[in-house]
Amino acid sequence: MQRAIGAGRLRTKRVEKTTRIADLYQNANAKIRVPKQHHDHLDALLINTAGGLTGGDRLCWTMDAGASTKTVVSTQACERIYRATAGTADVQNNIDVQEGAHLFWLPQETILFDGAALDRKFNAQIASGGRLTALEIVVLGREAMHETLQSVSLSDKWRIHHGNRLLHADAIRLGSADLPKMKQSAHLKDHLVFGTLIDIEPSRTPLDQQQSRALSDRFAHRFTGCDKVQMGMSVFEQKTIVRFTARNSYQLRQQLPDLLNEIVLGLHLPTVWRL
């Protein structure tokens, strides 16, 4: 059967006080659109014209944020991972954040259909003075169809480096045998959505113990007490990590603007995220 094999690449540069396109490449089903804007940062939308991915499909995105640029990357719609008759869908996300640049990786949700198989890798390199704010959200099944997953295969790996130094490593593996356990209270219980938000800056001045506690307390005061969305924050020297689960995407989206603004002051979700 014919398979979707696409690749897209965007490199940005600073022109006076604004971020502009330095290089753009797109192949097959991978498209990148940059809407007109009236601010200093650049918004980029990633589009998979195949409408989703299934076993044997391959998609590669490469984002290169030039020195002193500010780039916000999102997707036009949720990425759908359909039932795989053979093989897995392979997604590669390659990020390069140069000196003084800030790249926001804010794709919409990845929806796993029953029988989906996805192998996704996120590799980032951050230069001194660079900053990466990255978000990934996974939805288990089609909410509107009241779908319950019986079979699934998910491998999601993150590696973030500063030079030769590994700053962050993360891996999630979910298989069909794990699905019955997800209903347990120590796992997702009745939540169908989970994800991670990471903000990492190699040159950041480490927070002292009092500052870390103040940030965690402010976060807890703002986001705890809601059974529809559960969140937890960890603050390290160069990074802040937020893990979250939600009953459904709509309830999570209601919290996302406040969550992002708590991590990056003044940041607003891209227009495509608006409810």
Side-chain angles (χ1 to χ4, degrees), residues 28-186:
N29 57 305
K31 307 298 181 187
I32 302 175
R33 295 293 180 265
V34 179
K36 290 183 179 180
Q37 53 209 18
H38 303 283
H39 38 68
D40 60 352
H41 67 269
L42 183 141
D43 290 322
L45 291 179
L46 309 182
I47 304 172
N48 173 17
T49 58
L53 298 170
T54 186
D57 291 345
R58 298 201 301 272
L59 192 58
C60 179
W61 299 110
T62 301
M63 299 292 124
D64 185 351
S68 301
T69 59
K70 185 176 180 180
T71 308
V72 180
V73 180
S74 188
T75 54
Q76 184 188 44
C78 299
E79 185 65 276
R80 296 164 178 81
I81 311 300
Y82 299 120
R83 174 185 293 272
T85 56
T88 62
D90 183 85
V91 177
Q92 297 273 348
N93 299 317
N94 302 312
I95 309 296
D96 189 1
V97 183
Q98 298 183 26
E99 185 175 355
H102 192 173
L103 186 136
F104 298 86
W105 177 262
L106 305 174
Q108 296 191 60
E109 302 96 325
T110 296
I111 304 175
L112 301 179
F113 285 41
D114 189 31
L118 173 63
D119 184 356
R120 183 168 62 188
K121 296 180 177 65
F122 182 95
N123 297 303
Q125 181 71 234
I126 309 176
S128 297
R131 184 177 182 180
L132 173 66
T133 304
L135 170 72
E136 285 288 2
I137 301 171
V138 175
V139 181
L140 301 177
R142 293 167 287 179
E143 301 170 27
M145 303 290 291
H146 303 289
E147 182 178 40
T148 300
L149 298 188
Q150 303 297 325
S151 173
V152 71
S153 175
L154 170 66
S155 175
D156 197 5
K157 299 177 182 178
W158 292 44
R159 297 292 184 272
I160 302 176
H161 288 83
H162 171 53
N164 295 325
R165 181 187 176 195
L166 179 64
L167 295 180
H168 181 74
D170 204 344
I172 295 175
R173 184 175 294 277
L174 178 64
S176 301
D178 301 312
L179 293 175
K181 308 173 187 176
M182 304 305 283
K183 295 293 185 181
Q184 298 176 9
S185 58

Side-chain angles (χ1 to χ4, degrees), residues 197-199 204 207 212 215-216 219 231-243 263:
L197 171 65
I198 180 168
D199 183 60
R204 175 186 300 170
L207 300 177
S212 298
L215 177 60
S216 298
F219 180 88
M231 299 189 189
M233 171 187 283
S234 298
V235 181
F236 301 91
E237 290 186 354
Q238 293 95 7
K239 59 185 176 182
T240 301
I241 301 176
V242 180
R243 309 283 191 184
I263 303 299

